[in-house]
Amino acid sequence: MSSVKPAGPDATRFKDQLDPAAEAIVVADSVSSAPVRPVTSSLRYRPVGDFQSSLPELSAVNFDPWRQTVLLVLGDERVEIQEGEWSSKRRIHVGHTGPIRDAKLAPGGGFLGVLRSAKMLEILEIDESEHSTSVQELVRDSHSSSAILGFEWTFPGELMVVSSSGFELYQYSGTSKNFVKKKSREARINWYSYWPEVRILVTSVGPLALRLYHMKLDSGADSLMTVNLKPKGNTSGVQSQATRKQITVFFVYGRAFLGYFDLTPDPPLLVLYRISRSTPSHSVSYPLDGRGTFIANTVDNLIVVTNVVTKLFLIFDMKNDGTEAVVSTARIPVQDENDIDAVIEWQPCFPDYILVGSRGMLYCIQVDLQALAHDMRENSSGLAVVTFLARRDMDDPTFVLQIVAEMMREGASVDQMRKAFDPLNSRVRQIGPSDTPQGMIRDSSTDSVNSLGSIGTSENNLNGSAAGSPTARRKHQAHAGSASTLQRALARSHEEFNATRRQLCTQELLFANVFEPLSKEATFPSVYLTSCLFEYIASLSVAARQTVQPCFHELVCDLLLRDNRHTELHQLVQYNVVEDSAAVARRLLARGDVYAPFKQLGLDMLKRLDANNEVADVLLNRGEFLDALRYAVSRSVTTVPPTSFLEAALQSGDRTLFLNTYKCLEDRGMMTAAHADQAVAGLPPGSAAGRYVSVFREMWGEVVEMDSMIDM
Amino acid sequence: MPKPLSDSQQPPTSSRASSARSSQSAGQSPPPDASRPSDSPPEPPPQTRLDVGGRALVTAITATPAAANTENDVERGPSQAAVGTFGDVDCDFSEGLNNARTGPGWTNRRKHFFILSCAGKPIYSRSVAFLVYPAWGHHMVLALNRQYADALYDLRIICRYGDEAKLSSLMGLIQAIISFFASDDDSVRSLTAGGHTFVFSVKGPLYLVAVSSTGESVAQLRQQLSYLHSQILFILTSTQLTRIFDTRVNYDLRNLLSGTEMFLDQLARSFQSTPGFFLGSVQCLRMPARVRQKVAQALSVGNPQGLAFGMLLAKDQLIGLIRPKRHSLHPADLHLVANMIASSSGFRSGEAWTPVCLPMFNNKAFLHAYVCYVGPDLCVVLCSTDKDSFFGMSEYKAEIVKGLEEGGCVDGIDEALHGVPYSIVEVGVPSLRHFIVKSTPLVQYTQPAPAPPYTRKDDWRRLLQIYQRASEALHARIDPVSTYFYTGPAEAVLACTVGTLELYAAFGPLVSKTVAMDAINALARWARRCEDLLFLGSVPVLGSKQRSITPERLTGPTSP
Amino acid sequence: MGDGSGSWKHRPASLAYFAIFNPSFSKSEDSANDQICLFYPSTVPADERARQVGLATALVNFTKTFSPAPCDAVHTRKHRVILHEVEPGYWMLLKVRLGTRTTVRAGHKVVEHLEDGLQDSILRSVLLRAWEAFKLFHRGIDCILRRHSMDVLRKILEEFYSGFLPRINFGSLDLLDAFDGIQFASLSKASYLQVLSLMRALTATFPMLKHPILFWHDHLVWNGLESFDALKPLHSYITDPETGRVYDGVVNQVKRKGEPIIATRRVSLQSVRQSRSFLKSPRRGAKFSGYLVGPVTIGSLDVELKKIYLGPEGIEHNLIVYQVEEECTLVVPVPASEPPDQHSAEFYARLSAFLDERLTTLAPLLADGYASAKNLGEFADQHFRYLYYNSMNLAFKTSIGSYKSTVLTPDLVQCLNRMHDEFARGEYGTAANEICVKTASTDAWVVGRRSGDRELYLVFPKSDVGLVDIDDEVKKFTLGYFSDIL
């Protein structure tokens, strides 16, 4: 939260030529599904908002985590607030009582905290107007040593004041119309940093010692682990203590990590500790490139480290094993020299914002997965890329599927394909913003009604305002993630993590983009393709426990038939790997002449599907008239007209069969034994059935005495 | 010895009988009585003998305008044949005969019977061929008729006159096969070759072989062979048979049988059409007990000396019977008698007197049968132990006729005759298509007139075959069954024993077992209800002058 | 039968002789023995052989005058003979002595000849199996003769059949022999997918193993051959509990002496299967893993390839059989067209390593599948005595004898045999779709059904219920377990 010098006239220029760029990118965004597209860089900085940086009296620019906007401190008595989505801004007079060290707006937006001096924090109540009324002043001058380091709005109507001697938690009480101290912790604090998204307070309690706290609703503060940083390199002089800028907190894959830029070794390291209540557990240290100053963001569960000196960035994925950077040392995609110069003063804002005060811009970092994937393909396997992408968060996964298809074209081993399919099937993401409020309420265990209400409203505005671009949606995830208490975030096992999510790329997509096109290619080895298909089906039904779409069964069927692998198909149907469907059944029956068992197999399948008409037809066509009739009777099939049986029997030329058919139908009241000229019951009048009655009489009516010519 | 014949006043009418006898007298000089000392029979040249047999037959036919047209065709066959294809017949029974003529769709099922002497000499051979076209319509049947005659005539050529050499070579082969197994202290029972079944049966000096592609089981064919054997005994008695072959091993028995093949022919034919044979029981005319009683009375007055059995037959159905006190008439014997009458229409005019042997009664000696039609279908058959009792029998017959008229039985019998075959509707079980009810103790059975589809010969035969299988299962030597349910492509058959009754019922192929069971129970009830209407419950015995009917069984339930 | 009344001696049916001959080889009467390629037992004197073969020829000729099809079965008072022309001109002749029961009635003894399990249909399938087995290892008679001399042929036949024929127990033939069906492993879709990917991995890593066949005990898990018919002879050889008992020149004698390579297959319907043996080792001590066909000791360079011939064309393959933990057995016929140098010691080492790893992980899966299926079907298996065969995939399933409660008395087994014979005869004469009978002696219901290519038999012993109730039972069963059979 460092204040910056007013940048002067060039700021406007800066804006002017960044805006079109923004346009361009936005446009590109909308067409990102297009298969081929000149890839510039895997990172993009999307301006989410701009503000006047050229105001003469601009003394400080603060990021407002609750609205993802900025709060400008103008001179000593005015504060400019940007509403959510940068819709509008208003200036508020806070009264002139000395310089403003810091100013923060409360989540609900009802209060404004202004740090006047190291001893005094004033809280003002504000409304739509420009004016503010002081609610109270918190003065800390008990002992001269203690100074207020800063303050943070933790929850709607809750406040934390951090001083060199500890921190205190205040809560607004509706009755006394002011903030009441609820709790205080004594501790020697050199400096602190607070991460509102995860509500983690990091306090420096020694040169290399950090203590972490987790803030909870209703002035709760769980003390978490204490970390003793151990720089790798030689610890001498300035290096021997960690500055605030060296410490970051990440929230990736539902877990919170403490990041520490260890500049002592060469190359410097980004050391990550898994945040827990007990002893710190060191998870991984990523080597960084060159010397310089590093800032870190998290985008889509990726850790983006930017070296603001060398203007290079790296991307790490904690799910990747090894400390290999996903994207190693790429240049920041900013062309203009001034922008490059500005990089040095970039402020990282949790999770993925970059604030450039002098340019009056707030950027949001975006990962261009397609470009990223393209880069990755250079030096890492298709499987790696796919698994990496599967963890990502994308709206249009088709290009992932293109990579899958590529893998198959390159003939990746079947096991590899299986490994690639599994994440594609199981990777799912959260359902969207609707469930976040409940999340909040669930977390707000016991609370005063109004604060509850305020939470609700605040969230709802937020939803209402934010329910737009994907980025906005991501905000909510961040919120949801942060909203849930840390234990939960930590405890959340990976399964749960997936459970509340939906599949990244559906079976239909995979079929349409990978299997079907490949199966159409005459040159593509179908044996291999089938193996892959089986792996996919296995992955679906074993790993993801999903029902396989019929189109896959049909494809398997077709491929096996194409290669005349009849026994295999036979066994697959037998063990229900290829599931029943009329389409498959027909394919089988069609092959019955080549591989006899299919006649039976297909027919049984139809029976299981209760496709009674088809069964009857098949039997009739096979000349198994009696079986057809028996089946029709046993299943009490009414849809097949009796005439079809009669006709078939008549055509067979077998008089006995005709009689049996006729009698059977007659017994079931589908014929009438009345005179031949009468129409037949159970049949549409005027149908040909009457004919059969007369045929029957002609055939069997009079006794045909054949004795004479049978014997000698 | 032709005395009775000479002074019996109807030579032309009983031409068949006389011819038969003449053939016998020609064949075997000693009279049938086992007592007489035997001298070896003279052997006239085969030519003449064949002529005798042949002419005898032809005259028999021509004497009767109302002869079955099968006989016509069959007999016309050779007469034309004399002109046509006489030489070019080979011994291939499998094809060649008329496969050329049998297009697709024809089911060409054949059955051959061979009887040969242990020396391998052909005695009797016959091919029953069934050519049936499944399609319907009369024209087809008629077309078949003509063609069929030719087929049969070929067979006749082979079996009767044609290609003696080939035939006897075949017989030689059979004889060789049989004796081969015998030499291994074993005996061949049957062969199968694809759809053909070969059954061998060794009866004393006679070897009988059945070759069939009709699907009948081995046991059934064996049974039929034993019927054929009894038929030969019926003509010759076992004593005579053994004596002849003791004296002259390779005697050509056809000498003695010529002119009587029609018995065997008729028998072989009826295997295919009536269940009586495999049921081992007879069908008796369905008529009220009152009339039966009258008939019994009529029979039991004035039994002449030497009368062994007296029976009243209509068609092949038994109306009345009288028998000696401690002898019963075996169904098999009755079948033979009925078969004899059915064999030739010669009996229809006037009285006939011919020696017969009822093997089950006594296969050693002849009885003498007096046969005379006393009504359009009504026939009196009297068997006497005395070869000279022709007139005694004739008088007794007159007595019977009188008795019947007095008792007013004639109308009753006519009525009953018109009532047969009765319709299945009478039973009142709609799901039934056909049935047979057999009374095990009475060894009698009854069945309704065949209704569709069993009005067609092919269907009827198939049904009989299933019945045969069922009855086999019911009477199997090992593990007999008490209920047998069969479902086939064309019908379902349920057979079971209920008390003293054996029930066989045919249904549609899709019948549910519930329906079938209900039907068979209803059938059983119906059968018990009209038991005395259906079956001839008790028969009078000889010598019991008093009118009362002794409630003795017709015969014991022994099966042939 | 078998009612213990009176003292009686029982002698089971036995093989009288078995012959292969080709009538066209004997030019004249005195050279009758030239036509005989094999006559077993060899103790039969030459002239007797000639007699018997001559008879068979005579019978064939005799029957040919009547029927297009030649004589295929002979019933005599004491014997059954089955004849079959296995190759053009070559006839196979199987003569079986009927079993006898000698009872002493009224002083003198009565000898009764029994035809237990000697129905033509069953004997014929036994004969055909004997033929298939020979073809599996020697391709065919004529091709041997063309390549070698008659003496060589005689030697080969003699060697093979003197080993094979004693395996057959003619005393207890039943529907198991008639069908010689395949038991399919029961697996869930999920675990089957794993089998699938294992098979893929196998063929991927060892490209020349194109047609792997995997057994779990005697249950077929995966068939990589083009058809089940091609598998049949191989299957019945591998799963035959006799295989491996004695050295037959094919399987290595690596197991304990007299130990079959797969012990679990049922040989008779009347024997109780001990299902425990499926889930734990049949005998204590280390379970066997290693090559049953292939190198005896891994790394040994001397690998003698065992040839088998598959399919109607009898395509030559080299056989490899590997077993893991006596549970999973992988059978791989490698087309002989593959370069033989592939069969290197290194290859076998790699293969065994691969299989040891992958199959041991798969085995529990299969065992679970079996166990769960067993529990699932337990009710059916205990309450119904059923026997099911599907000629389309040779699938065979029966509950008979799988529990103490479902063992059948000999006479009921015979009843099944007869019923099957009736169905088999169906193609001639009166075909049957269903037959159900109630035996008079034991009051048992026996239901046989044939629909299309399937046969199903159900036995309800000692039931006093009627046909209708039985039908309901059958309905219950078929709907529950074999709904495809109408």
Side-chain angles (χ1 to χ4, degrees), chain C residues 7 101-111:
Chain C
S7 68
R101 184 172 54 197
T102 318
T103 44
V104 179
R105 290 214 196 89
H108 51 78
K109 62 162 76 162
V110 183
V111 177

Side-chain angles (χ1 to χ4, degrees), chain A residues 534 567 571 575 579 600 604, chain C residues 185 189 200 225-226 454:
Chain A
F534 289 135
T567 350
Q571 292 175 92
Y575 284 95
E579 282 163 17
Q600 187 192 65
D604 295 349
Chain C
K189 174 182 176 179
R200 308 229 159 283
L225 294 174
E226 294 80 7
R454 297 184 172 89

Side-chain angles (χ1 to χ4, degrees), chain B residues 6-343:
Chain B
S6 58
D7 50 14
S8 66
Q9 53 280 32
Q10 65 300 16
T13 51
S14 73
S15 61
R16 194 243 122 247
S18 60
S19 74
R21 254 181 80 262
S22 70
S23 67
Q24 281 165 13
S25 51
Q28 126 265 28
S29 49
D33 307 26
S35 59
R36 280 291 199 85
S38 79
D39 41 296
S40 66
E43 259 206 274
Q47 226 59 15
T48 53
R49 189 163 307 96
L50 274 176
D51 291 349
V52 171
R55 206 186 304 114
L57 225 70
V58 175
T59 49
I61 299 310
T62 44
T64 62
N69 48 0
T70 34
E71 295 289 298
N72 279 336
D73 297 332
V74 168
E75 294 314 322
R76 231 182 283 112
S79 46
Q80 301 162 343
V83 194
T85 55
F86 191 79
D88 55 19
V89 283
D90 59 7
C91 193
D92 187 343
F93 286 65
S94 65
E95 50 256 50
L97 285 181
N98 46 16
N99 278 11
R101 303 192 203 105
T102 59
W106 294 94
T107 58
N108 180 351
R109 301 189 277 108
R110 283 233 195 61
K111 190 162 155 186
H112 311 277
F113 289 114
F114 299 103
I115 305 176
L116 57 148
S117 70
C118 51
K121 276 244 186 289
I123 293 173
Y124 171 81
S125 69
R126 165 192 177 79
S127 296
V128 188
F130 319 118
L131 282 156
V132 177
Y133 195 63
W136 48 286
H138 263 302
H139 58 287
M140 188 56 81
V141 174
L142 294 175
L144 167 57
N145 192 356
R146 163 80 253 124
Q147 179 171 32
Y148 196 77
D150 305 352
L152 297 181
Y153 123 71
D154 289 354
L155 288 166
R156 277 307 177 92
I157 289 178
I158 295 160
C159 305
R160 281 259 173 84
Y161 326 94
D163 218 335
E164 182 71 22
K166 287 229 174 74
L167 181 59
S168 46
S169 75
L170 182 66
M171 296 302 124
L173 188 48
I174 293 176
Q175 187 267 350
I177 290 170
I178 291 174
S179 49
F180 181 102
F181 283 100
S183 67
D184 284 359
D185 178 30
D186 199 350
S187 62
V188 60
R189 289 282 185 76
S190 66
L191 309 176
T192 57
H196 283 67
T197 313
F198 300 68
V199 178
F200 299 81
S201 163
V202 176
K203 301 269 186 182
L206 297 187
Y207 294 167
L208 299 92
V209 179
V211 179
S212 150
S213 59
T214 58
E216 287 163 294
S217 77
V218 171
Q220 290 152 16
L221 293 167
R222 187 173 301 289
Q223 193 183 40
Q224 293 171 9
L225 287 180
S226 76
Y227 270 112
L228 286 175
H229 178 249
S230 338
Q231 179 60 64
I232 288 184
L233 297 182
F234 180 85
I235 300 165
L236 292 179
T237 73
S238 62
T239 10
Q240 214 174 14
L241 205 57
T242 39
R243 176 149 22 85
I244 291 164
F245 283 102
D246 289 350
T247 50
R248 307 197 44 198
V249 179
N250 50 11
Y251 178 74
D252 187 341
L253 201 64
R254 284 180 296 188
N255 304 337
L256 291 180
L257 293 179
S258 61
T260 63
E261 295 94 341
M262 54 179 53
F263 294 168
L264 293 156
D265 295 354
Q266 172 66 27
L267 194 60
R269 189 187 315 136
S270 15
F271 291 150
Q272 296 303 319
S273 47
T274 62
F277 293 96
F278 68 80
L279 288 174
S281 56
V282 297
Q283 192 173 13
C284 75
L285 182 62
R286 189 184 70 138
M287 60 190 208
R290 165 181 63 75
V291 186
R292 284 196 203 287
Q293 206 152 11
K294 289 280 190 332
V295 172
Q297 285 165 1
L299 281 173
S300 48
V301 287
N303 310 135
Q305 274 305 340
L307 177 64
F309 293 101
M311 55 204 97
L312 209 54
L313 297 169
K315 295 179 180 148
D316 59 344
Q317 306 192 51
L318 185 65
I319 292 174
L321 175 75
I322 185 163
R323 60 175 188 77
K325 194 158 185 49
R326 46 188 56 69
H327 287 294
S328 57
L329 181 59
H330 193 283
D333 291 344
L334 187 53
H335 279 307
L336 293 175
V337 173
N339 180 61
M340 174 181 72
I341 297 164
S343 304

Side-chain angles (χ1 to χ4, degrees), chain A residues 184-503:
Chain A
S184 68
R185 286 284 183 89
E186 293 301 323
R188 258 199 66 261
I189 300 178
N190 308 328
W191 51 261
Y192 83 97
S193 68
Y194 180 68
W195 307 85
E197 307 278 347
V198 279
R199 303 206 161 86
I200 288 182
L201 173 68
V202 182
T203 60
S204 154
V205 294
L208 289 171
L210 304 172
R211 169 169 290 120
L212 281 68
Y213 300 92
H214 178 233
M215 297 305 147
K216 294 168 73 183
L217 202 60
D218 197 13
S219 320
D222 296 3
S223 57
L224 300 171
M225 63 192 189
T226 309
V227 189
N228 290 308
L229 305 170
K230 299 180 190 58
K232 286 275 177 301
N234 68 321
T235 58
S236 57
V238 63
Q239 298 292 16
S240 64
Q241 63 179 346
T243 67
R244 191 172 61 193
K245 288 194 181 300
Q246 285 178 274
I247 300 301
T248 59
V249 167
F250 302 106
F251 187 72
V252 287
Y253 298 118
R255 292 198 175 87
F257 296 89
L258 177 74
Y260 163 53
F261 289 108
D262 181 1
L263 305 173
T264 52
D266 191 14
L269 296 172
L270 168 57
V271 186
L272 292 181
Y273 298 90
R274 171 84 181 282
I275 294 179
S276 68
R277 340 191 79 253
S278 55
T279 54
S281 60
H282 168 273
S283 1
V284 64
S285 352
Y286 290 115
L288 306 172
D289 64 315
R291 311 223 133 268
T293 319
F294 298 95
I295 60 168
N297 294 85
T298 59
V299 185
D300 187 8
N301 294 317
L302 291 172
I303 297 173
V304 180
V305 177
T306 318
N307 184 336
V308 294
V309 178
T310 60
K311 318 264 190 299
L312 300 173
F313 68 85
L314 304 100
I315 299 178
F316 297 101
D317 180 358
M318 291 201 71
K319 278 268 171 71
N320 280 9
D321 32 22
T323 63
E324 192 61 27
V326 179
V327 170
S328 50
T329 64
R331 272 207 84 67
I332 295 172
V334 182
Q335 296 76 3
D336 187 280
E337 273 313 305
N338 304 311
D339 310 346
I340 299 297
D341 304 341
V343 169
I344 191 73
E345 66 196 35
W346 277 11
Q347 271 181 54
C349 300
F350 192 96
D352 54 0
Y353 286 96
I354 298 278
L355 178 60
V356 192
S358 65
R359 294 286 185 279
M361 289 301 294
L362 181 66
Y363 295 112
C364 165
I365 305 180
Q366 282 182 324
V367 179
D368 179 337
L369 288 171
Q370 215 159 340
L372 184 51
H374 184 272
D375 299 351
M376 287 178 76
R377 289 293 276 141
E378 307 292 308
N379 45 18
S380 53
S381 74
L383 175 59
V385 177
V386 171
T387 42
F388 170 81
L389 289 174
R391 289 196 291 271
R392 300 284 74 76
D393 167 0
M394 64 190 76
D395 300 314
D396 173 16
T398 35
F399 75 95
V400 184
L401 299 180
Q402 285 162 15
I403 297 174
V404 173
E406 274 174 45
M407 286 176 70
M408 288 169 69
R409 282 221 179 67
E410 294 157 10
S413 84
V414 175
D415 297 353
Q416 271 202 328
M417 292 317 296
R418 171 61 184 273
K419 289 204 192 71
F421 290 135
D422 279 343
L424 284 183
N425 290 329
S426 53
R427 170 63 164 84
V428 284
R429 69 181 143 176
Q430 285 182 331
I431 302 304
S434 59
D435 62 350
T436 31
Q438 290 86 334
M440 291 290 286
I441 292 165
R442 225 186 300 111
D443 295 334
S444 60
S445 44
T446 59
D447 201 7
S448 60
V449 185
N450 57 353
S451 74
L452 249 180
S454 64
I455 297 161
T457 49
S458 73
E459 279 301 329
N460 290 341
N461 313 346
L462 226 153
N463 304 347
S465 61
S469 66
T471 33
R473 198 150 79 253
R474 288 217 318 294
K475 292 282 103 21
H476 287 279
Q477 299 158 25
H479 266 287
S482 60
S484 57
T485 64
L486 189 62
Q487 293 95 320
R488 177 174 294 248
L490 301 181
R492 229 195 243 149
S493 74
H494 198 61
E495 284 67 41
E496 292 173 37
F497 188 62
N498 288 337
T500 62
R501 298 154 154 242
R502 72 168 169 75
Q503 188 178 1

Side-chain angles (χ1 to χ4, degrees), chain C residues 305-324:
Chain C
L305 297 178
K306 300 293 177 9
K307 298 210 174 308
I308 60 169
Y309 302 86
L310 293 176
E313 303 82 20
I315 299 159
E316 182 175 342
H317 289 73
N318 297 316
L319 186 62
I320 301 175
V321 180
Y322 190 83
Q323 192 170 57
V324 175

Side-chain angles (χ1 to χ4, degrees), chain A residues 531 534-535 538 541 565 567-568 570-572 574-577 579 595 597 600 604 607 630-631 634, chain C residues 184-185 187 189 192-193 196-197 200 220 222-223 225-228 390 392-393 433 453-454 484 486:
Chain A
S531 317
F534 289 135
E535 290 307 335
S541 41
R565 289 152 69 186
T567 350
E568 273 183 60
H570 190 157
Q571 292 175 92
L572 292 176
Q574 211 165 293
Y575 284 95
N576 199 30
V577 172
E579 282 163 17
Y595 182 72
Q600 187 192 65
D604 295 349
K607 286 178 182 171
R630 187 177 283 118
Y631 180 82
S634 70
Chain C
F184 278 85
L187 289 172
K189 174 182 176 179
Y192 201 73
L193 279 162
L196 209 59
S197 55
R200 308 229 159 283
L220 178 69
W222 175 257
N223 169 23
L225 294 174
E226 294 80 7
S227 74
F228 285 100
N390 179 353
M392 275 300 138
N393 57 359
N433 301 38
D453 321 289
R454 297 184 172 89
D484 297 334
L486 277 169

